[in-house]
């Protein structure tokens, strides 16, 4: 039995993502270093030609990343289409990332970390934490995406699979996966060149039930800067 | 520049999928063996408790598979949520497959093949074939999904990533993937137990530009049967 129709934009609870927008419509000031609070998400407007540089401030934090075309949010960065395009599950510097319509929208231009990022896992949501034993609301990347968009006056038409920056999910030859601590370092920076006008969302993943945000499972902040 | 808004239900061309429905609303007769024509898709209604048995008639054919909740097509079988749920990229007998809301909807109950199936690749679409050099319409699994649903009076609200039965996509330790010939045999059968009322779609993948449908790259037919 289905209690109600699924609404991709409806968040299951709230946190500071609702009040963490960098401006009313998500437009950034060039060269300003912005903060993503721990366990929260931030949505921004990016213009073709700009760079987005994301900083793993403390070195152990995963950033769930999404992007939608500004002109049509039904077109979005798609991990499965990236994997087909790149013939790899691990994007790296020089790779172009594509939408569900196979349009290149972002190019990876720098990565000071060892390059361990994830494209195969879904973003965490309230149900994921309930399955992990939580009995009360738990911050989650899916709600952070929804709230971050809401905070700049937009709605998520779909929850795409995220590009999980710095997330360490080894895949063994038999296909088994595991959730391991990041292998990045304090101040590591990951950079995109923006190829199309986009709405991008970053969530400082609030996962504290496994070691993906460091062996001590303490979610922390991230920073980012947009360059012309 | 975006020429037009993306409509997930709009097909880019047509083939016999539009006239291959097994009944006006996709309801099957129990115990009847149905055929999926080469390069085409078929949509069916499944009820909780039934079994769906899919036959790789000639042994070399990939079947792209999707499922939506009959009560809410916004909820669908999601490969990324399956991978997180199963902690594996290769589902196997005994595994339950889940939706984008992490609800189990199908259980894999039998598989006579060596168990090589794919969850990481997007379904082929017209753009994929254009990128592979095609200058005219090429049958594709995305359009087959759209047309198969249209043939039973439904519209695709979203094109989910497919469960690619018998598709052989090895993943090397560095994340590189390749498109290899199936390792299945003539008459191999893959079976699901249905856990929720579903709309399921199967496409006999028309890929003839790489060896995934056999070394001779000749797409062929599939068959299926529903058991009570």
């Amino acid at each position: 039995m289905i209690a109600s129709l699924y609404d991709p934009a409806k968040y299951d609870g709230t946190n500071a993502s609702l009040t963490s927008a960098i401006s009313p419509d998500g437009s950034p000031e060039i060269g300003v270093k912005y903060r993503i609070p721990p366990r929260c998400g931030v949505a921004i407007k990016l213009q073709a030609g700009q760079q987005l540089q994301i900083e793993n401030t403390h070195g152990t934090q995963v950033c769930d990343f999404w992007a939608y075309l500004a002109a049509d949010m039904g077109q979005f960065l798609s991990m499965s289409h990236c994997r087909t395009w790149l013939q790899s599950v691990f994007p790296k510097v020089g790779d172009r990332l594509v939408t569900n319509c196979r349009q290149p929208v972002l190019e990876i231009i720098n990565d000071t970390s060892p390059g361990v990022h994830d494209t195969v896992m879904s973003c965490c949501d309230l149900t994921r934490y309930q399955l992990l034993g939580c009995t009360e609301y738990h911050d989650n990347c899916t709600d952070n995406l929804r709230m971050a968009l809401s905070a700049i006056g937009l709605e998520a038409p779909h929850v795409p699979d995220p590009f999980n920056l710095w997330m360490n999910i080894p895949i063994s030859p038999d296909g088994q996966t595991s959730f391991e601590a990041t292998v990045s370092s304090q101040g590591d920076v990951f950079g995109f060149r923006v190829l199309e006008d986009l709405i991008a969302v970053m969530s400082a993943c609030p996962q504290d039930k496994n070691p993906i945000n460091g062996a001590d499972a303490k979610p922390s902040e991230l920073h980012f800067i947009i360059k012309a």
Side-chain angles (χ1 to χ4, degrees), chain A:
Chain A
M1 284 296 298
I2 308 307
S4 61
L5 296 183
Y6 172 67
D7 177 355
K10 183 168 175 281
Y11 25 96
D12 296 313
T14 60
N15 69 14
S17 303
L18 281 173
T19 53
S20 298
I22 61 169
S23 67
D25 72 349
S27 293
E29 284 186 54
I30 301 302
V32 171
K33 185 179 276 197
Y34 291 103
R35 177 174 183 260
I36 305 171
R39 313 175 75 93
C40 288
V42 170
I44 56 173
K45 284 193 174 162
L46 295 170
Q47 294 177 7
Q50 293 178 337
Q51 285 184 27
L52 170 62
Q53 298 283 342
I54 309 174
E55 180 187 327
N56 199 339
T57 314
H58 303 284
T60 55
Q61 180 60 44
V62 165
C63 178
D64 278 40
F65 181 89
W66 302 264
Y68 302 85
L69 282 190
D72 177 11
M73 290 182 71
Q75 299 181 51
F76 47 79
L77 180 64
S78 167
M79 291 301 101
S80 66
H81 293 81
C82 287
R83 289 187 294 261
T84 308
W85 175 277
L86 299 173
Q87 298 203 23
S88 174
V89 299
F90 298 137
K92 60 185 189 310
V93 172
D95 285 343
R96 289 182 162 207
L97 305 184
V98 301
T99 66
N100 54 324
C101 296
R102 303 186 198 267
Q103 180 181 16
V105 289
L106 290 160
E107 182 178 339
I108 303 173
I109 53 174
N110 54 278
D111 180 4
T112 62
S113 82
V116 174
H117 311 284
D118 170 69
T119 68
V120 306
M121 289 298 163
S122 51
C123 38
C124 60
D125 53 26
L126 183 58
T127 307
R128 167 91 166 124
Y129 290 104
Q130 290 170 335
L131 289 165
L132 289 170
C134 295
T135 54
E136 298 190 347
Y137 183 70
H138 191 291
D139 301 315
N140 62 84
C141 287
T142 302
D143 278 351
N144 287 353
L145 167 72
R146 295 160 167 156
M147 286 187 275
L149 288 171
S150 174
I152 63 167
L154 297 174
E155 285 207 337
H158 178 62
V159 177
D161 291 333
F163 184 21
N164 295 308
L165 296 176
W166 300 295
M167 186 157 149
N168 182 8
I169 307 286
I171 304 175
S172 72
D174 67 353
Q176 295 296 305
T177 59
S178 57
F179 294 85
E180 305 293 340
T182 55
V183 294
S184 46
S185 301
Q186 186 176 330
D188 268 336
V189 175
F190 186 97
F192 291 113
R193 188 161 63 91
V194 180
L195 308 178
E196 298 288 338
D197 292 355
L198 299 174
I199 309 294
V201 185
M202 294 160 280
S203 169
C205 177
Q207 177 59 269
D208 52 11
K209 305 298 176 192
N210 69 32
I212 61 158
N213 288 311
D216 61 356
K218 285 187 80 166
S220 58
E221 67 192 337
L222 295 164
H223 287 83
F224 66 91
I225 189 166
I226 287 100
K227 296 182 178 179

